Structures are given as C-alpha cells and as structure tokens.
Amino acid sequence: MSEPAAPLEAGQPALIRVMGLCHTYLRGTPLETPALHGIDLLVAPGEVIGIVGPTGSGKSTLLQHLNGLLRPQGGEVFVNGVRLSDPQADVRSVRQQVGLLFQSPEDQLFERFAGDDVAFGPRNLGLSADAVRERVRQAMEMVGLPFEYKDRLSTELSQGERRRLALAGVLALQPRVLVLDEPTAGLDPQGRQDLLRFLSVWCQSPGKAIVLATHNMEDIAELCTRVYVLREGRVILHGPSREVFGQCELLRQMGLAIPVAAEAMCRLRQRGYAVAGTALTIAEAAAALKALIHG
Amino acid sequence: MADPSEFELLGRVTIGQYMPTGSVLHRLDPRAKLCMAAALVATVVVSQSLLGLTVLLLAVLAALALAHIPLRFALAGLRPMVPFLLLLALLQVLAIPQYSANARVLWRWAVLTVSDRSLIAGVLLILRFCVLVLSLSLFSFSTTTTELTHGIEHLLRPLQAIRLPAHEFALVVNIAIRFLPILAGEAERLMKAQASRGADFGRGQRNFIQRARMLLPLLVPLFLVSLQRADELAEAMEARCYLGGKGRSHLIQLQARLRDYVALSIMLILAILSIHLNAIQADQVLWTWLAKNLSHLL
C-alpha cells in the first residue's frame, strides 16, 4: 500500500503523531504479551480516522496511548507537540485535549444525577460553578440530550441516552480530539444513527478530529476519511477509506468484513460488470448501478 | 522513563495468578497440594525455632525452583507487604520484653525496651510471614481454580455426613477466586475512564474525606457492574439446569498417584523436622555453640 495521500496541508501541525510505537503488557514477567510493534499514525485537524482490525489486534492499546493512559515503551507519541514519553509531560492537559471514551461507557457513570456526571470532568478542571453549568449545558445539547435531563437519575435513562450522557461527560472537557472505542457497539439502529450524525457534525467545527476504533465497517464507511487496518499489533494497510475498502480481497483474507456497498461493487466486478469506483455507502452504490444500467 | 503501568493493577499483584509452566508441582493432585499447604501453614504457625523456619523457607524456595517460577516474580508478591511487615516486626520487638522474665535487655530508652528475646521474635515474625506468602503464592501459581475447587470439594466430602454442603462451598470459593482478576480488570478500566475525565487517584495532599470521595467514581460503578455480573451468572447457571451438587458427576476424576504420596511424605518429614528442631531447642544449642566459638575467635 502506498503512503497515504498527504494528510497534512502545508503548515498545518498534526494533532497527534505516533511514531514507531511499541507496547508489551506485563513486561518483565513470564506473562508478558506483546501488543503493539512499531505503529505509525497521524491525526490532522478535520480528519476522522478509523482504526479497524480483528479482536486482539491492538486497537484499544493504541487508543490508550493517545491520551497518555499508557506511556510509550518504545517509539514516540506527540499530542499537540507534547512528547508523552517524557515523564514530566503534563498528562492532565493532554487528557483534556484528547477526550477518550471507552467501550460501553454507560458503565462508568457513577453520580446519582445525570448532570453531575457530565460535570465531573469540568469540576476536575477546577472551573467555577457557573462555567461548569455552562459546559454541562453545551455538552448535553451537543449530544442531543435536553438540559432538563440533568436532574434525572442516571439509572432512569435508556441505554442509548446513557451512552450519549457518557459522551457528553467527555465533551464537557472541550477536547480537540475525540477518541472512541467501539462507539456504536450494542446500540439499536436509531441510537447508532443519532450517534453517527452527532459525530459527523462535531468534527465539522474547526480544529477538531476524531479517532474511532470499531468492528463495524458501516460506521467507518459513513464517517471516516482515512482508515488504518491493524493486525497483530502492526499497521498492515492504511490510506483514504475508499482506497482501503477497494482492497476487498485482502480484507476478506484477514477475516474483516467490508461495507455492504463496497462488497456489492466488488462482487459485481468479479462477475465482469464494469462498475466504476468503490462505493462506500448505499447511495453511492445505487448511483454506480444506475450509471451502469443506463449508460 | 515514565511509569508505563500507572493503571496496570494485575501487573503488580502476582499472588493469586496461575502460571502454566507445566512442572511436576503443577501436575500434583490438588488434594495433595491442599493438604501440604495446610500442613505447612500449621507448622509455620506452631514453630518457634529460627532453624525450623529457615528449613521451611529453603524448602519453599526449592519448590519454587522446581515449579520453574522465577524468584523475582514470586518476590514481587511480597513487595507491597514489606512496610506492614516491618511495622509488625517493630511492634513485636518492642512489646515482647515486657512479657518475658528471663530475657537479656540489650537496649532501654524510657518505656521502650529491646531484649535478645524480642529481637528473635521480630526475625521469627518476618521469616514466618515470608514462608506463608511464598508458599501460598506457589500454591496459586501452580494450581488452577478448577483444580482447587475439585480439591476442596473432594476433601470436604466426608463432612457431608454432618450436612456440610461441600459442593456449594467449593463453588463459592471458585466463583470468588475466579472473579478477582475480572474485578481487577474492571477497576483498571474504570480508573482509566475516570482519569480520562481528569480524575486523579492517589496523588496530591487531601484529607480523609476528600480521599474517600475521590474513590466514589471508581467504587460506585464497580459495585453496580459486579452486582449485574452476579445476576447474569446466576441466570446463566440456571439456564443450564444447575441444581446444586446433588447427583452431579465430574468431568475430571482426581486420581492420587505415586508422586502425590511422595510429595506428601516430603512435606510430612519437613514438618516433623521443623517441629523437632523446635522441641529440642536447637536454637539455644546453636546460640551457645556460636557464643563459645565466637568468643574463642575474639
């Protein structure tokens, strides 16, 4: 696979730059398990990066390096110019700039009232009560929860609402990069659509970027500008989504699904129909088919 | 280099983990291992002799080598307990002289007194503790929880005559142990999630109430998740027609082999040796011998 089509515009600094990152769990014990071998990754403002790969390929480990939960054992991670392998690095400000949302984040809610949970982050930043309130309002409205919900018991909310509440809890820190681990897993179709719509709106605002790890190729197809494919702790394929999903044979060999639309185009081509390009969404596939039939 | 394992809870606690090295010790019958562990603990508690405990310590170290477990890894389990151990030993050293009439006072300051007896008592405590922790670590390194459960159940079976629910008891032990690493993993995940939102565990000068409050974001979800998990486990067991121990057969049939009897005999000999050293007051003999020869040298 060729180098990605220059993701950085001239003069625009990367938000996150990962170079040759290595990580081994329980290093120095008989139970040590290597997880990452020399990962390179770049996140520029305005990008939505997808990270895909089978279970155990190192996705979550990689994500935890992006906000300093794990420190590099080998290689370097720079977040906005801060070198994370430096013991003096200000991790708290890094964690504020890079908001990380774990898998099934609704489990991590702990306050009785929804609003208090969203306020946890801003309060940790030491903001005044008014500023906290304002941030909670903004964050909740961003994820489509009415501000009045702040006084509801967090256990009373539905699962989709609880997940959005957890997301609001991260957004209240006003991060520049949002890092999400399996954001749509376990959501119903409506909840998933809402979440994806919100994410695509959020990353429109200037200077923001999203990194998401997922099994769900449709999420990637709908959102991501670039994709990294991980396997056994190595990046084996990366580039713009369209290019990566064009390699349907290779992806299938690795046991990864590809978006339905891309799969359909791929099979048509195998049967000798000259469909143009790689479709990522159903609408694109429909357009390509129409073009094939009519002309 | 920054500490890369700020949140790695499992990496620090080595006791209670299973290490599949496939050694002879791993292949021993769990019943034999349980009996040996019980005998060892009893001997360690009874023995008042430095020599006797040293013999046991050496035996445990030899067993660790036999099980192919790196000493460094076994000692890692001891490390977090060292401060407590030293504190206990210190209390022992300072408290004993008051209760012992024929002790030789070595040092006195106000109400604090240190005698030869109390120094020995402090060393005994440390030795005893090391043997206990290392042997229990060794037991868990070399025994899976399934083996442990089967072992407990078999050993308790005679007590069913007096209506002790052996199977249920073993199951409770099994579940408790099985869930420990899961809980630790869960706690790690929650700590990371809350740290991502700016929580700060354990650092900074805070008073007791603030410290306790700091743990809420960790403890509340941890409790909720474990209750939920217990519920799911119960449902999953009922869905597979679990009715308790009555009439339940086992996939693994335990069978005692020659090596189990050999291991038990070795343990028995060690226990007798250690208690015998205690009974003949070998320490006193050693002290007098040392005193005689050292004065000779001086």
Side-chain angles (χ1 to χ4, degrees):
Chain A
M1 185 85 204
S2 62
E3 276 297 296
L8 295 179
E9 292 164 26
Q12 199 179 30
L15 282 172
I16 298 177
R17 183 188 295 269
V18 178
M19 294 184 301
L21 179 65
C22 300
H23 188 80
T24 304
Y25 279 108
L26 298 174
R27 193 172 54 162
T29 73
L31 299 172
E32 66 178 23
T33 332
L36 297 178
H37 309 271
I39 299 273
D40 294 317
L41 178 109
L42 235 107
V43 184
E47 283 195 297
V48 182
I49 307 280
I51 297 178
V52 298
T55 312
S57 57
K59 298 190 297 281
S60 294
T61 312
L62 175 59
L63 293 192
Q64 287 174 32
H65 279 91
L66 301 183
N67 77 339
L69 285 176
L70 296 174
R71 301 295 192 95
Q73 292 175 350
E76 294 288 352
V77 177
F78 292 95
V79 174
N80 232 343
V82 177
R83 189 165 143 258
L84 281 182
S85 55
D86 176 7
Q88 256 77 55
D90 182 4
V91 201
R92 295 197 65 172
S93 91
V94 166
R95 286 182 192 152
Q96 187 261 310
Q97 290 176 41
V98 180
L100 175 65
L101 197 65
F102 275 88
Q103 213 168 330
S104 32
E106 53 273 17
D107 289 346
Q108 78 202 31
L109 304 177
F110 67 97
E111 293 277 13
R112 256 164 73 78
F113 297 106
D116 283 331
D117 215 282
V118 180
F120 180 68
R123 279 185 188 142
N124 283 329
L125 293 179
L127 298 175
S128 71
D130 284 340
V132 169
R133 193 181 162 82
E134 190 46 39
R135 285 212 180 185
V136 171
R137 177 205 299 281
Q138 281 177 6
M140 290 183 70
E141 279 168 1
M142 256 192 266
V143 298
L145 291 173
F147 188 47
E148 293 74 56
Y149 273 42
K150 72 182 191 321
D151 296 323
R152 297 215 179 172
L153 292 175
S154 34
T155 44
E156 272 179 0
L157 302 179
S158 76
Q159 197 215 3
E161 285 169 339
R162 282 163 62 81
R163 185 164 300 187
R164 278 188 279 163
L165 189 72
L167 181 58
V170 171
L171 289 172
L173 291 165
Q174 301 190 338
R176 296 184 63 184
V177 185
L178 200 51
V179 178
L180 307 153
D181 197 352
E182 295 283 358
T184 59
L187 285 184
D188 58 21
Q190 185 60 46
R192 176 176 167 269
Q193 275 309 326
D194 290 347
L195 190 65
L196 289 181
R197 195 175 312 124
F198 154 74
L199 290 177
S200 62
V201 170
W202 187 82
C203 66
Q204 301 293 314
S205 37
K208 306 281 190 188
I210 295 180
V211 179
L212 73 119
T214 181
H215 283 301
N216 190 328
M217 297 297 157
E218 307 298 327
D219 294 354
I220 302 266
E222 282 182 42
L223 270 182
C224 295
T225 48
R226 277 196 306 130
V227 180
Y228 288 80
V229 182
L230 254 60
R231 188 192 197 179
E232 288 167 6
R234 290 187 175 81
V235 175
I236 50 162
L237 204 63
H238 66 146
S241 318
R242 212 168 286 276
E243 274 179 36
V244 169
F245 289 125
Q247 317 248 349
C248 41
E249 279 309 313
L250 191 58
L251 289 172
R252 209 176 292 146
Q253 271 171 24
M254 296 191 312
L256 287 173
I258 55 178
V260 174
E263 172 101 40
M265 295 295 105
C266 186
R267 292 210 181 164
L268 280 173
R269 209 170 296 130
Q270 275 172 354
R271 302 210 176 157
Y273 296 99
V275 278
T278 313
L280 286 182
T281 59
I282 304 290
E284 284 176 14
L289 281 179
K290 213 178 261 174
L292 183 71
I293 294 164
H294 294 301
Chain B
M1 178 84 205
D3 180 10
S5 55
E6 197 180 336
F7 301 98
E8 243 177 43
L9 293 178
L10 280 178
R12 291 188 206 160
V13 184
T14 55
I15 190 168
Q17 277 179 3
Y18 179 67
M19 279 192 14
T21 59
S23 73
V24 173
L25 254 77
H26 288 69
R27 279 175 277 139
L28 280 184
D29 190 304
R31 287 172 297 181
K33 278 192 273 191
L34 272 170
C35 291
M36 286 163 72
L40 186 68
V41 169
T43 318
V44 167
V45 171
V46 167
S47 180
Q48 297 290 337
S49 150
L50 281 178
L51 279 176
L53 284 174
T54 312
V55 167
L56 292 178
L57 182 65
L58 290 178
V60 171
L61 291 179
L64 275 169
L66 190 66
H68 301 301
I69 287 162
L71 192 59
R72 207 165 47 82
F73 192 69
L75 289 178
L78 261 177
R79 204 170 301 144
M81 305 174 194
V82 166
F84 297 101
L85 192 53
L86 289 180
L87 183 71
L88 281 177
L90 187 70
L91 286 177
Q92 187 87 322
V93 166
L94 293 176
I96 287 287
Q98 339 239 341
Y99 305 107
S100 180
N102 53 353
R104 198 148 30 96
V105 174
L106 299 174
W107 180 80
R108 194 191 292 273
W109 182 77
V111 291
L112 302 177
T113 325
V114 173
S115 71
D116 56 346
R117 286 290 178 95
S118 67
L119 275 183
I120 292 175
V123 176
L124 272 178
L125 181 114
I126 291 180
L127 258 180
R128 209 172 266 159
F129 202 83
C130 289
V131 176
L132 278 180
V133 172
L134 284 180
S135 56
L136 292 180
S137 308
L138 174 61
F139 183 81
S140 76
F141 289 153
S142 65
T143 317
T144 63
T145 49
T146 329
E147 285 172 345
L148 175 67
T149 324
H150 281 294
I152 291 178
E153 193 176 341
H154 277 260
L155 286 177
L156 289 183
R157 211 170 267 169
L159 296 182
Q160 272 174 342
I162 56 163
R163 294 208 165 179
L164 186 98
H167 172 79
E168 280 75 8
F169 185 78
L171 185 74
V172 167
V173 172
N174 188 12
I175 290 176
I177 296 175
R178 180 67 193 82
F179 269 44
L180 269 182
I182 295 182
L183 269 183
E186 199 75 53
E188 188 179 316
R189 198 173 70 97
L190 285 165
M191 274 171 83
K192 283 177 171 172
Q194 311 299 20
S196 298
R197 297 203 278 162
D200 198 357
F201 295 105
R203 267 163 294 166
Q205 294 289 319
R206 292 182 177 85
N207 66 33
F208 175 73
I209 296 186
Q210 281 168 324
R211 272 168 184 277
R213 271 197 69 85
M214 240 164 40
L215 284 179
L216 278 185
L218 180 62
L219 292 183
V220 173
L222 199 57
F223 268 105
L224 286 177
V225 170
S226 19
L227 288 177
Q228 203 179 341
R229 183 161 283 135
D231 215 32
E232 282 167 9
L233 180 71
E235 226 160 80
M237 286 168 72
E238 277 186 354
R240 288 189 275 169
C241 307
Y242 180 79
L243 288 171
K246 205 175 250 180
R248 208 173 154 80
S249 59
H250 291 275
L251 178 64
I252 303 163
Q253 294 295 334
L254 295 178
Q255 193 121 51
R257 291 169 201 279
L258 180 64
R259 58 169 179 249
D260 299 314
Y261 292 112
V262 170
L264 273 174
S265 319
I266 294 176
M267 184 61 236
L268 207 61
I269 292 170
L270 279 171
I272 291 172
L273 176 65
S274 172
I275 292 174
H276 182 66
L277 284 173
N278 195 15
I280 61 166
Q281 303 196 312
D283 286 9
Q284 260 83 342
V285 177
L286 180 72
W287 291 141
T288 34
W289 185 83
L290 276 178
K292 207 163 72 186
N293 285 275
L294 283 180
S295 62
H296 184 73
L297 278 175
L298 289 171

